[in-house]
Amino acid sequence: MQTLIVGIGALGGTIAARAVRAGLPVRLAARNIDSAAALQKSGLRVTGIGGEVRTNAVDVAAIEDYKKGGQFDLILLATKAQDALEVAPHVLDLLAPCGVILPIQNGGVARVLADSLGEDKVLGGFSNLGATMVEPGVYEQKNAGHLLIGELAGGVSERVERVARALGRAIEVKVSSNLVGAIWSKLLINCSVTTLGALCSRTMRQYMETEAGKKVFQQTYEEALSVALAIGTRLERLAVEPIPPGWPSNIAVGERHKSWVEAIIAFYGDVKPSMLQDFERGRKTEVDFINGYVVTLGHASGVPVHMNATITDLVHQIERGVLQPTPDRMNDLAAQTCQPIRDNVFDGQL
């Protein structure tokens, strides 16, 4: 399967290095000529969980240097969400006749691309791999995660299984027959783990040591969960069950709820938030496709999303340089009045 990986950041670089090492017929697309030249010179190196991989022979070029002509059976978009929406129409002509584009961003990116380019050209997917880019070409894998892929319309197709077999030679790939439900389950984590960690410049394990952190995590997660159920999503189990024990009755379930939170921390709690890395590099974040996406759908469906709206606004202020990530941010959020969640949101959903 002739494969093009677009975006050689933390996730794309980690996948690319392991794909090259596994002998897959893979080429890489960097954002510009200078980035491509630097990667050609340095090669790729991955350390951390999964073992160390080094490769000096890297077939990489700037995205604009790839010519039309149906070269690739698979184009893996490992860019930021906003970049994926921009680049996808331009790489469509690089697909072989039965080729597919696989975006692995969080939120509604795959759905937007499928609506604009056609479901016959787009699969859905996302990554549970935690990775950090130490410097261009050098990456550290932080967990034993995987790619989850599937058809946006549901079910399991031959093309999904073919992609899974090919990429599975380099990294772990799982197939879901309910990908939309899985995307939403991951989105719940993105809203309450990735974004919160970025705002307070802490890992989840660190901010959950405070009462403020616990309160804000719960409010953020439950708002997003309420939106997912209100629009009829059939959620899928990932690292944990997406619906917390005892929710939404607010009946104290003690150790069961504590164990549920601890399971999330065990999987995601020590990963440096990718959004925090964006702040540090002065890059635009994906918040509009994460908490902002929840806010948009929450307003449309009449579900209160006060905490997610506040969080989205704070991220935008940090992007503009008005604010900075700080541990005190969690105390400020915890002090905000929590909006009640309507009981009728859940009728028939649990």
Side-chain angles (χ1 to χ4, degrees), residues 29-346:
R31 64 175 62 241
N32 54 49
I33 294 173
D34 291 340
S35 296
L39 289 172
Q40 285 176 337
K41 182 178 180 180
S42 69
L44 302 175
R45 178 190 175 200
V46 175
T47 61
I49 295 175
E52 182 171 353
V53 167
R54 292 174 182 262
T55 177
N56 295 321
V58 180
D59 189 351
V60 57
I63 184 64
E64 63 265 24
D65 287 343
Y66 283 92
K67 307 301 182 184
K68 299 178 181 180
Q71 304 173 54
F72 299 103
D73 304 299
L74 173 66
I75 298 179
L76 178 70
L77 299 183
T79 64
K80 289 295 183 182
Q82 55 270 20
D83 297 327
L85 297 183
E86 180 179 345
V87 75
H90 300 291
V91 301
L92 191 62
D93 289 333
L94 300 179
L95 283 177
C98 294
V100 292
I101 296 174
L102 174 60
I104 54 173
Q105 292 75 22
N106 297 309
V109 173
R111 181 72 268 164
V112 172
L113 290 180
D115 288 344
S116 62
L117 305 180
E119 283 196 6
D120 61 321
K121 298 296 184 184
V122 181
L123 295 180
F126 64 83
S127 171
N128 267 327
L129 283 168
T132 300
M133 185 170 73
V134 180
E135 60 185 68
V138 181
Y139 315 95
E140 183 180 3
Q141 186 171 328
K142 294 287 192 177
N143 66 9
H146 60 271
L147 292 187
L148 188 70
I149 68 174
E151 295 284 355
L152 293 172
V156 177
S157 66
E158 188 277 334
R159 66 176 184 169
V160 168
E161 293 181 330
R162 181 162 45 93
V163 170
R165 285 195 301 270
L167 291 179
R169 291 167 54 193
I171 58 172
E172 185 177 3
V173 180
K174 297 182 180 181
V175 172
S176 173
S177 61
N178 177 28
L179 187 71
V180 171
I183 287 173
W184 264 98
S185 294
K186 176 69 184 304
L187 188 61
L188 303 180
I189 297 296
N190 293 131
C191 287
S192 56
V193 175
T194 304
T195 309
L196 293 184
L199 285 176
C200 66
S201 189
R202 292 288 186 269
T203 65
M204 182 191 186
R205 188 181 302 278
Q206 291 170 327
Y207 73 69
M208 288 295 281
E209 291 175 350
T210 68
E211 289 304 313
K214 294 173 183 177
K215 180 179 179 181
V216 176
F217 168 82
Q218 180 175 338
Q219 177 76 9
T220 307
Y221 189 100
E222 291 188 359
E223 284 183 358
L225 176 57
S226 302
V227 172
L229 296 179
I231 64 174
T233 306
R234 180 170 58 88
L235 293 164
E236 194 81 354
R237 188 186 193 282
L238 297 179
V240 298
E241 291 294 339
I243 299 178
W247 188 88
S249 64
N250 294 323
I251 299 173
V253 289
E255 289 301 316
R256 287 177 56 213
H257 189 277
K258 181 180 177 182
S259 296
W260 178 81
V261 172
E262 288 175 346
I264 298 177
I265 294 173
F267 198 88
Y268 300 103
D270 298 311
V271 177
K272 182 177 182 180
S274 57
M275 194 178 292
L276 179 57
Q277 298 176 55
D278 291 335
F279 288 157
E280 293 171 347
R281 294 184 172 95
R283 297 183 59 186
K284 184 175 175 60
T285 73
E286 295 180 318
V287 71
D288 290 332
F289 300 89
I290 303 175
N291 303 79
Y293 185 62
V294 168
V295 171
T296 298
L297 293 179
H299 288 164
S301 55
V303 178
V305 285
H306 171 76
M307 186 63 76
N308 279 277
T310 301
I311 287 167
T312 303
D313 181 64
L314 287 173
V315 171
H316 287 317
Q317 291 188 61
I318 293 174
E319 289 176 331
R320 296 194 302 268
V322 177
L323 299 174
Q324 293 295 322
T326 170
D328 292 337
R329 194 74 58 211
M330 202 64 80
N331 294 327
D332 297 339
L333 285 168
Q336 303 229 5
T337 301
C338 295
Q339 297 286 326
I341 299 173
R342 298 185 314 166
D343 290 340
N344 62 5
V345 167
F346 315 111

